[in-house]
Amino acid sequence: MRERELIVVGGGLAGCEAAWQAAQRGIRVYLYEMRPLVNTGAHVTDRLAELVCSNSLGANQIDRGTGLLLSELRTLVSLLIRCADESALPAGRALAVDREVFAEKVTQTILSHPKITVIREEIKKLPETTAVVASGPLTSESLSASIANFLGLSNLFFYDAISPIVEADTIDMNVAFRASRYDQEEGDYINCPMNREEYENFVEELVKAERIPLRSFEETIESGVSGGKGKFFEACLPIEVLARRGKDALAFGPLRPVGLKDPRSGKRPYAVVQLRQDNLAGTLYNLVGFQTNLTFTEQKRVFRMIPGLERAEFVRFGQMHRNTYIFSPQALKPTLQTIRRPDLFMAGQLIGVEGYAGNIASGWLAGVNAARYIRGKPLLQLPRETMLGSLIYYVTHASEKDFQPMKANFGLLPYTEEEWLRNKKQRHFYFAQRSLDVLEQWLKECDVFE
Ligand SMILES: Cc1cc2nc3c(=O)[nH]c(=O)nc-3n(C[C@H](O)[C@H](O)[C@H](O)COP(=O)(O)OP(=O)(O)OC[C@H]3O[C@@H](n4cnc5c(N)ncnc54)[C@H](O)[C@@H]3O)c2cc1C
């Protein structure tokens, strides 16, 4: 390969961001994406930056962890957040996007960049020249083996899940109602209200419904006897697993009715299933928090017990999937270079960053640093006071016992006792403002955009 060239493996969220950032800094980028020649089992299109599950990038206010990270990424001129803002849908205080418009915008921007060449090919071995590896939670088998071999570590397998999507015009709006929590006016979500009897019948059927059998090693992981290395993500537990924790687990969890009143009765329902808009046309809605491993037939039977969804048509059923990631504290520097090879960078879910925004953010850092490495400039680390700085710090410094995929959250930021003692609401705004100020100052001191 000639000088000033970079290989990026994986045209997902992290890979696209990394490729674009490096190309913007004058580097010729070869972006390898294996789809559609090899599929992951979760992606359904050949587009770059396809969102495989929720269409929400998370909270959009700066007093929320993800919201602060989104704000930082806007300041850092992230391509993917720009595309997300341009494809935003109404979703209360969250940044939800039309997934097709979003992926199309990213794909077209990448394809038309004069410095980026997209190559549809599976990379089976770690590249031997300067590269960013961002092959995601569904990294192909041969590449996973090559990474494990290079790092001298076993890959870790976790389980996660995706929620079903239904056609909007098959939802019975004589039963369901529109509202966002605590809003007086008609809101962005469709809510299916349940009385106590409906809720209890639903939970009873959910708990005994047939599930897709897990392969034997996956069962070992699920039961937590594989050396403690595999388990469900707490935030992405299948609804049936959560329901088994107690009869009111859902009513206090994803089906909590707080902040919602059924406009017909004027009362708060016993439980509420919320559906979030999934495409710009508003023809599709996903069941919020309904990740599941039930068989498709059982999903249809049990989810149609939800008032308002009796005739719902499912355009996608919930599914389980593999999640591969490395033990980053032993493998990566805070610059996202591997410890063993300074010209090899990693980013995305593969390094244990959780959530769409976090994955985009890690791609930003890897792309910028790979470009700087090629150009012989000092590599960057963001200040700990920023959400991105703290997220990367966590991923590269956590202890083996504590390490698990991590989303942006205020608990990662450094603080003094005095700062912490402020009340929670002020604390978040205070930390958010501090982060943005520190970031602004840092940008003045570093030549980040050159
Ligand atoms: C089924 C499922 C549901 C999820 N649900 C959510 C959710 O609701 N919210 C959330 O925040 N996160 C969710 N995640 C996690 C999600 O994957 C990440 O947040 C995000 O997509 C990860 O970004 P990434 O760039 O690391 O990987 P990806 O976006 O997956 O991109 C990796 C890309 O690399 C390609 N690739 C893999 N191996 C190779 C190879 N050898 N050669 C070339 N190309 C390769 C893949 O085809 C893919 O396009 C989910 C993941 C899965 C799999």
Side-chain angles (χ1 to χ4, degrees), residues 215-286:
R215 284 177 288 145
S216 58
F217 83 99
E218 294 168 359
E219 280 166 5
T220 316
I221 285 166
E222 188 188 348
S223 62
V225 290
S226 64
K229 292 197 164 171
K231 60 183 181 214
F232 289 113
F233 285 119
E234 194 62 22
C236 239
L237 275 182
I239 190 103
E240 65 275 10
V241 172
L242 198 55
R244 261 189 251 126
R245 290 185 170 177
K247 82 179 163 49
D248 274 327
L250 299 183
F252 284 97
L255 273 60
R256 66 192 179 285
V258 294
L260 292 168
K261 265 191 198 149
D262 187 336
R264 283 167 210 109
S265 64
K267 292 192 182 144
R268 184 160 107 171
Y270 189 75
V272 171
V273 174
Q274 286 205 299
L275 289 95
R276 189 196 290 125
Q277 191 174 331
D278 203 85
N279 63 344
L280 203 50
T283 55
L284 301 178
Y285 274 73
N286 59 60

Side-chain angles (χ1 to χ4, degrees), residues 46 93 267 323 363 379 416 434:
D46 62 359
R93 293 167 190 169
K267 292 192 182 144
N323 187 347
L379 302 204
T416 63
R434 183 184 69 172

Side-chain angles (χ1 to χ4, degrees), residues 22 45 196 199 295 417:
T45 74
R196 186 179 190 131
Y199 171 80
T295 62
E417 201 179 339

Side-chain angles (χ1 to χ4, degrees), residues 9-15 32-35 38-40 42-43 47 49-56 121-124 134-140 143 160-162 236 319-323 347-350 353-357 359-360 407:
V9 184
L13 301 183
Y32 286 84
E33 170 52 57
M34 66 180 184
R35 289 176 292 119
V38 181
N39 286 313
T40 62
H43 294 80
R47 289 198 184 98
E50 180 184 328
L51 301 176
V52 284
C53 183
S54 166
N55 63 328
S56 172
E121 189 182 314
E122 178 192 354
I123 292 287
K124 298 192 173 176
S135 44
L138 303 168
T139 294
S140 71
L143 183 59
D160 213 339
I162 60 178
C236 239
Q319 284 173 40
M320 301 294 295
H321 68 89
R322 183 174 56 117
N323 187 347
Q349 186 101 11
L350 186 62
V353 171
E354 181 63 358
Y356 295 146
N359 285 306
I360 293 169
K407 264 182 117 137

Side-chain angles (χ1 to χ4, degrees), residues 147-159:
I147 293 170
N149 189 36
F150 168 74
L151 295 174
L153 300 164
S154 324
N155 278 328
L156 307 176
F157 296 96
F158 266 62
Y159 281 84

